[in-house]
Amino acid sequence: MLRLPAVAGRFYPFNPAELTAVIAHFTEIEPHTKKVAARACLLPHAGYVYSGSVAGAVLSRIALPRKILILGVRHVPKGEPAAILSRGAWRTPLGDAAIDEPLALALRAACPLLREDEVAHSKEHSLEVQLPFLQVLASGFTFVPLALGTVRFEDLVTVGEAVGRVLQEAGEEILLLTTSDLNHYEDDAVTRVKDRKAIERLLALDARGLYDVCRNEQISMCGLGPAVAMISALHGLSAKHAELVRYATSADVSGDTSAVVGYAGMIFT
């Protein structure tokens, strides 16, 4: 299966040279910056003009391994609630990124909730926008795409615990790249207050607390499911430290503070 780009030319440049230059700009670092071996990271998935600087700040700090599990959200209602693709490749303007079939099959065996589903992935942007960054920074990587549409806490924990077991038993470095934007379409001041509450629970590696605060405080974090699953996986991987690398809202670019989206970039070790 070859999954063709769905949002090239809208969320990020279609022209390969322009796309490479944009990513190079977003991932510029000081020459002596030491890269970290991360268990996981949290990245936004908006258009690069709004959230690319946040994603780039995180990925430029990580010593990227050759295998990456991308845990995204299923924004559209079509498809399985926990969708995986086990074979083939995803195309971007920079070429094809191959799916890691052995890793995908191990995940499916460990978690029956994961179902093979092309429909859930066919138009989903949250995973696609991560790939050009990885193609520039980790040439030759393989990956597995997971898209979660479910919001049932117990199911999210089940998926996360299975991911943690597979990564723990893999015997090699695999990055769990999780993607979510934060609060949506309220004014900048309100969004920053709400986002801080969600970020506090992420920093505490508190899956239940994150789930509850988003529900109780009406924080429209679109990747709540992937984030809960990520934290559940990290407990199985004995992760102990979380760092907020960069936070921004769309108002930082647009200047419009009336209806913004929040973006956090985080590293977990």
Side-chain angles (χ1 to χ4, degrees):
M1 178 251 177
L2 178 62
R3 193 271 195 187
L4 298 176
V7 294
R10 294 191 292 129
F11 279 61
Y12 58 86
F14 186 84
N15 179 274
E18 182 184 355
L19 177 55
T20 300
V22 165
I23 291 170
H25 170 70
F26 285 139
T27 55
E28 287 180 344
I29 59 172
E30 295 297 323
H32 302 296
T33 300
K34 184 177 180 181
K35 296 196 174 186
V36 300
R39 295 282 195 178
C41 63
L42 181 75
L43 302 179
H45 54 241
Y48 283 12
V49 66
Y50 295 111
S51 67
S53 63
V54 176
V58 172
L59 291 173
S60 61
R61 289 269 312 277
I62 296 174
L64 293 169
R66 304 293 291 179
K67 294 188 177 186
I68 298 171
L69 172 55
I70 306 180
L71 185 55
V73 61
R74 193 200 71 194
H75 284 90
V76 296
K78 294 181 180 179
E80 294 287 345
I84 187 171
L85 288 177
S86 300
R87 57 184 59 86
W90 286 34
R91 178 164 293 170
T92 82
L94 301 182
D96 294 349
I99 292 175
D100 193 299
E101 186 171 347
L103 177 58
L105 294 177
L107 288 163
R108 288 183 60 187
C111 184
L113 289 177
L114 296 176
R115 301 292 182 87
E116 195 77 14
D117 184 12
E118 295 182 13
V119 172
H121 288 281
S122 61
K123 301 297 181 183
E124 178 52 53
H125 67 274
S126 68
L127 295 93
E128 178 182 332
V129 299
Q130 314 306 325
L131 294 177
F133 274 96
L134 299 175
Q135 287 173 309
V136 170
L137 298 174
S139 178
F141 76 98
T142 59
F143 79 108
V144 175
L146 298 183
L148 297 181
T150 180
V151 292
R152 291 187 69 250
F153 182 77
E154 294 76 14
D155 290 345
L156 298 169
V157 171
T158 296
V159 171
E161 289 177 345
V163 167
R165 289 194 302 273
V166 170
L167 298 190
Q168 181 68 27
E169 296 168 2
E172 59 185 320
E173 289 188 39
I174 302 172
L175 176 67
L176 176 55
L177 189 163
T178 305
T179 175
S180 178
D181 295 337
L182 298 184
N183 197 57
H184 287 59
Y185 309 135
E186 295 187 87
D187 71 54
D188 194 70
V190 169
T191 288
R192 288 176 184 272
V193 170
K194 287 189 172 185
D195 285 351
R196 171 47 60 181
K197 293 178 180 179
I199 290 168
E200 285 174 353
R201 294 302 91 213
L202 285 159
L203 290 170
L205 298 176
D206 180 4
R208 181 81 240 188
L210 175 64
Y211 187 87
D212 288 345
V213 77
C214 285
R215 288 304 189 85
N216 295 337
E217 301 288 339
Q218 296 183 316
I219 303 170
S220 52
M221 179 179 178
C222 58
L224 173 59
V228 167
M230 175 192 68
I231 294 172
S232 301
L234 287 170
H235 289 314
L237 295 169
S238 301
K240 302 190 183 316
H241 179 69
E243 175 189 357
L244 176 64
V245 176
R246 182 171 294 182
Y247 173 80
T249 74
S250 56
D252 294 330
V253 173
S254 69
D256 179 2
T257 60
S258 64
V260 310
V261 179
Y263 313 115
M266 304 181 70
I267 292 175
F268 303 84
T269 55

